[in-house]
Amino acid sequence: MLSPSAWWRSFECNPSPLPLPRPLAGAQALLRLLAMAEALSEMAPESLDARRLLADSLRDLGFANQLCKEPEPALGLYRRSLAVFEDLLERKPEDFLARRSYGNVLGNLAQIEQREGKLEPALKHWTKALAIFDELLKGDPEDVVARQGRAVMLYGRARCLEVLGRRTEALECYRGSLEVLAALPSSIRAGPDPRHSGRRVRPRAAR
Protein backbone atom coordinates (compact mmCIF):
# COMPACT_ATOMS: atom_id res chain seq x y z
CA MET A 1 0.00 0.00 0.00
CA LEU A 2 1.32 3.41 -0.93
CA SER A 3 1.88 5.98 1.79
CA PRO A 4 -0.03 9.29 1.64
CA SER A 5 3.18 11.03 0.60
CA ALA A 6 3.58 8.62 -2.32
CA TRP A 7 -0.02 9.28 -3.24
CA TRP A 8 0.66 12.99 -3.27
CA ARG A 9 3.60 12.52 -5.62
CA SER A 10 1.45 10.40 -7.93
CA PHE A 11 -1.24 13.08 -8.13
CA GLU A 12 -1.54 16.15 -9.53
CA CYS A 13 -4.35 18.40 -7.91
CA ASN A 14 -2.29 29.99 -17.52
CA PRO A 15 -1.56 33.27 -18.56
CA SER A 16 -0.56 33.88 -22.16
CA PRO A 17 1.84 31.17 -23.39
CA LEU A 18 5.02 31.22 -21.35
CA PRO A 19 8.41 29.69 -22.20
CA LEU A 20 8.88 26.42 -20.36
CA PRO A 21 12.13 25.06 -18.94
CA ARG A 22 14.11 23.20 -21.60
CA PRO A 23 14.17 19.84 -19.81
CA LEU A 24 10.42 19.50 -20.25
CA ALA A 25 9.61 17.19 -23.15
CA GLY A 26 6.53 18.17 -25.13
CA ALA A 27 6.55 21.79 -23.96
CA GLN A 28 5.88 23.15 -27.41
CA ALA A 29 2.92 20.83 -27.85
CA LEU A 30 1.42 22.16 -24.61
CA LEU A 31 1.97 25.73 -25.73
CA ARG A 32 0.33 25.04 -29.10
CA LEU A 33 -2.61 23.38 -27.40
CA LEU A 34 -3.07 26.34 -25.09
CA ALA A 35 -2.94 28.78 -28.00
CA MET A 36 -5.58 26.75 -29.82
CA ALA A 37 -7.75 26.56 -26.69
CA GLU A 38 -7.53 30.32 -26.19
CA ALA A 39 -8.49 30.94 -29.82
CA LEU A 40 -11.45 28.56 -29.63
CA SER A 41 -12.64 30.14 -26.40
CA GLU A 42 -12.52 33.59 -27.97
CA MET A 43 -14.34 32.40 -31.10
CA ALA A 44 -17.05 30.55 -29.16
CA PRO A 45 -17.25 32.05 -25.65
CA GLU A 46 -20.55 30.28 -24.97
CA SER A 47 -19.15 26.85 -25.81
CA LEU A 48 -18.68 24.78 -22.67
CA ASP A 49 -16.39 22.40 -24.53
CA ALA A 50 -14.12 25.27 -25.54
CA ARG A 51 -14.02 26.55 -21.97
CA ARG A 52 -13.24 23.08 -20.69
CA LEU A 53 -10.38 22.70 -23.16
CA LEU A 54 -8.99 26.06 -22.06
CA ALA A 55 -9.22 25.18 -18.36
CA ASP A 56 -7.54 21.81 -18.94
CA SER A 57 -4.78 23.36 -21.08
CA LEU A 58 -4.04 25.97 -18.43
CA ARG A 59 -3.96 23.27 -15.77
CA ASP A 60 -1.61 21.03 -17.75
CA LEU A 61 0.81 23.84 -18.55
CA GLY A 62 0.76 24.85 -14.89
CA PHE A 63 1.50 21.28 -13.88
CA ALA A 64 4.39 21.17 -16.35
CA ASN A 65 5.91 24.30 -14.81
CA GLN A 66 5.38 22.87 -11.33
CA LEU A 67 7.22 19.67 -12.27
CA CYS A 68 10.12 21.76 -13.56
CA LYS A 69 10.25 23.76 -10.32
CA GLU A 70 9.01 27.01 -11.85
CA PRO A 71 6.55 28.08 -9.11
CA GLU A 72 5.68 31.59 -10.28
CA PRO A 73 4.56 30.66 -13.80
CA ALA A 74 2.76 27.63 -12.35
CA LEU A 75 0.85 29.79 -9.87
CA GLY A 76 -0.28 32.15 -12.60
CA LEU A 77 -1.38 29.30 -14.83
CA TYR A 78 -3.26 27.57 -12.03
CA ARG A 79 -5.06 30.76 -11.03
CA ARG A 80 -6.24 31.31 -14.56
CA SER A 81 -7.30 27.68 -14.81
CA LEU A 82 -9.32 28.04 -11.60
CA ALA A 83 -11.08 31.12 -12.96
CA VAL A 84 -12.11 29.26 -16.11
CA PHE A 85 -13.26 26.22 -14.12
CA GLU A 86 -15.32 28.50 -11.86
CA ASP A 87 -17.02 30.03 -14.91
CA LEU A 88 -17.64 26.57 -16.34
CA LEU A 89 -19.10 25.22 -13.11
CA GLU A 90 -21.32 28.25 -12.68
CA ARG A 91 -22.86 27.45 -16.04
CA LYS A 92 -22.84 23.66 -15.63
CA PRO A 93 -22.69 22.77 -11.93
CA GLU A 94 -23.40 19.08 -12.59
CA ASP A 95 -20.10 18.62 -14.50
CA PHE A 96 -18.38 16.29 -12.05
CA LEU A 97 -15.25 16.01 -14.22
CA ALA A 98 -14.74 19.76 -14.19
CA ARG A 99 -15.40 19.85 -10.45
CA ARG A 100 -12.85 17.14 -9.82
CA SER A 101 -10.25 18.91 -11.97
CA TYR A 102 -11.03 22.12 -10.11
CA GLY A 103 -10.29 20.37 -6.83
CA ASN A 104 -6.99 19.01 -8.13
CA VAL A 105 -5.88 22.43 -9.34
CA LEU A 106 -6.66 23.87 -5.90
CA GLY A 107 -4.48 21.15 -4.38
CA ASN A 108 -1.61 21.91 -6.75
CA LEU A 109 -1.91 25.60 -5.98
CA ALA A 110 -1.88 24.87 -2.25
CA GLN A 111 1.21 22.70 -2.57
CA ILE A 112 3.19 25.49 -4.23
CA GLU A 113 1.96 28.08 -1.73
CA GLN A 114 2.99 25.84 1.12
CA ARG A 115 6.48 25.36 -0.30
CA GLU A 116 6.74 29.12 -0.71
CA GLY A 117 5.85 29.61 2.97
CA LYS A 118 2.39 31.05 2.27
CA LEU A 119 0.77 28.80 4.81
CA GLU A 120 -2.57 30.53 5.42
CA PRO A 121 -3.50 30.75 1.70
CA ALA A 122 -2.30 27.16 1.31
CA LEU A 123 -4.50 25.95 4.16
CA LYS A 124 -7.47 27.80 2.67
CA HIS A 125 -6.98 26.07 -0.66
CA TRP A 126 -6.39 22.63 0.88
CA THR A 127 -9.62 23.01 2.83
CA LYS A 128 -11.57 24.13 -0.22
CA ALA A 129 -10.20 21.25 -2.30
CA LEU A 130 -11.12 18.77 0.41
CA ALA A 131 -14.66 20.14 0.52
CA ILE A 132 -14.96 19.62 -3.24
CA PHE A 133 -13.99 15.96 -3.01
CA ASP A 134 -16.33 15.46 -0.07
CA GLU A 135 -19.11 16.91 -2.20
CA LEU A 136 -18.25 14.62 -5.11
CA LEU A 137 -18.36 11.59 -2.83
CA LYS A 138 -21.81 12.54 -1.57
CA GLY A 139 -23.00 12.18 -5.15
CA ASP A 140 -21.12 8.93 -5.76
CA PRO A 141 -19.50 7.28 -2.70
CA GLU A 142 -17.97 4.58 -4.91
CA ASP A 143 -16.02 6.99 -7.15
CA VAL A 144 -12.51 5.67 -6.58
CA VAL A 145 -10.76 8.66 -8.16
CA ALA A 146 -12.66 11.04 -5.88
CA ARG A 147 -11.69 8.89 -2.91
CA GLN A 148 -8.06 9.09 -3.99
CA GLY A 149 -8.39 12.85 -4.30
CA ARG A 150 -9.88 13.09 -0.83
CA ALA A 151 -6.93 11.14 0.61
CA VAL A 152 -4.44 13.45 -1.11
CA MET A 153 -6.17 16.63 0.07
CA LEU A 154 -6.41 15.35 3.62
CA TYR A 155 -2.71 14.60 3.58
CA GLY A 156 -1.78 17.98 2.11
CA ARG A 157 -3.97 19.74 4.66
CA ALA A 158 -2.39 17.70 7.46
CA ARG A 159 1.12 18.72 6.44
CA CYS A 160 0.12 22.37 6.33
CA LEU A 161 -1.56 22.19 9.73
CA GLU A 162 1.52 20.50 11.19
CA VAL A 163 3.80 23.30 9.97
CA LEU A 164 1.35 25.83 11.47
CA GLY A 165 1.68 24.05 14.82
CA ARG A 166 -1.91 22.79 14.82
CA ARG A 167 -0.87 19.23 15.57
CA THR A 168 -4.19 17.89 16.85
CA GLU A 169 -5.97 18.89 13.65
CA ALA A 170 -3.06 17.61 11.59
CA LEU A 171 -3.19 14.22 13.28
CA GLU A 172 -6.91 13.96 12.54
CA CYS A 173 -6.27 14.65 8.85
CA TYR A 174 -3.38 12.18 8.68
CA ARG A 175 -5.60 9.48 10.14
CA GLY A 176 -8.40 10.37 7.77
CA SER A 177 -6.08 10.07 4.78
CA LEU A 178 -4.85 6.65 5.91
CA GLU A 179 -8.42 5.45 6.46
CA VAL A 180 -9.40 6.47 2.93
CA LEU A 181 -6.37 4.73 1.45
CA ALA A 182 -6.96 1.57 3.48
CA ALA A 183 -10.53 1.35 2.17
CA LEU A 184 -9.45 1.47 -1.50
CA PRO A 185 -9.30 -1.76 -3.52
CA SER A 186 -5.87 -3.40 -3.37
CA SER A 187 -5.36 -2.97 -7.13
CA ILE A 188 -5.86 0.79 -6.73
CA ARG A 189 -3.68 1.06 -3.62
CA ALA A 190 -0.84 -0.60 -5.50
CA GLY A 191 -0.41 2.43 -7.71
CA PRO A 192 -3.11 3.99 -9.88
CA ASP A 193 -2.76 6.33 -12.78
CA PRO A 194 -4.47 9.46 -11.42
CA ARG A 195 -4.57 11.06 -14.86
CA HIS A 196 -6.66 8.35 -16.52
CA SER A 197 -9.67 9.17 -18.69
CA GLY A 198 -12.35 11.12 -16.92
CA ARG A 199 -14.85 8.41 -16.19
CA ARG A 200 -15.76 7.34 -12.69
CA VAL A 201 -13.88 4.27 -11.57
CA ARG A 202 -15.39 1.62 -9.35
CA PRO A 203 -13.89 -1.54 -7.90
CA ARG A 204 -14.41 -4.66 -9.96
CA ALA A 205 -16.73 -7.26 -8.53
CA ALA A 206 -15.00 -10.19 -6.90
CA ARG A 207 -14.96 -13.31 -9.03
Side-chain angles (χ1 to χ4, degrees):
M1 174 176 163
L2 292 178
S3 68
S5 59
W7 267 104
W8 171 250
R9 290 192 297 271
S10 74
F11 246 75
E12 358 174 328
C13 333
N14 305 357
S16 299
L18 297 172
L20 290 177
R22 290 180 181 176
L24 180 65
Q28 293 305 315
L30 286 173
L31 290 169
R32 287 195 297 271
L33 180 59
L34 175 57
M36 181 182 71
E38 289 180 324
L40 286 173
S41 189
E42 289 178 6
M43 291 167 51
E46 298 305 314
S47 170
L48 297 180
D49 288 339
R51 298 297 284 171
R52 175 62 184 273
L53 178 62
L54 177 58
D56 287 344
S57 299
L58 292 165
R59 176 202 63 199
D60 292 346
L61 195 54
F63 187 59
N65 275 275
Q66 183 177 358
L67 286 177
C68 288
K69 303 186 186 305
E70 295 288 338
E72 290 307 315
L75 286 171
L77 293 163
Y78 284 147
R79 285 168 181 149
R80 275 198 63 194
S81 179
L82 290 173
V84 179
F85 273 124
E86 287 166 1
D87 173 63
L88 181 61
L89 289 168
E90 184 176 343
R91 291 196 269 169
K92 191 179 180 183
E94 71 276 13
D95 188 340
F96 82 93
L97 291 176
R99 195 167 297 279
R100 192 168 70 197
S101 291
Y102 181 58
N104 282 333
V105 175
L106 282 168
N108 289 347
L109 183 67
Q111 185 188 33
I112 295 176
E113 289 172 333
Q114 187 167 327
R115 287 177 175 173
E116 296 287 298
K118 302 171 183 176
L119 298 180
E120 291 299 339
L123 181 59
K124 177 182 176 181
H125 290 132
W126 285 125
T127 302
K128 187 174 182 179
L130 177 59
I132 288 171
F133 283 99
D134 285 341
E135 181 181 349
L136 287 169
L137 287 169
K138 286 181 182 177
D140 184 359
E142 298 304 314
D143 183 349
V144 172
V145 176
R147 288 158 66 187
Q148 294 171 2
R150 184 171 189 273
V152 168
M153 302 313 157
L154 278 167
Y155 179 69
R157 189 170 186 271
R159 292 182 65 189
C160 190
L161 287 165
E162 185 176 7
V163 175
L164 285 167
R166 296 162 61 175
R167 296 181 179 275
T168 300
E169 294 171 83
L171 184 59
E172 182 180 348
C173 286
Y174 280 131
R175 286 172 174 162
S177 181
L178 287 171
E179 287 172 3
V180 174
L181 291 178
L184 290 173
S186 58
S187 59
I188 300 296
R189 292 199 306 269
D193 178 3
R195 302 189 68 179
H196 61 74
S197 64
R199 57 190 175 80
R200 290 183 174 93
V201 179
R202 294 184 176 83
R204 293 182 179 178
R207 294 182 178 178

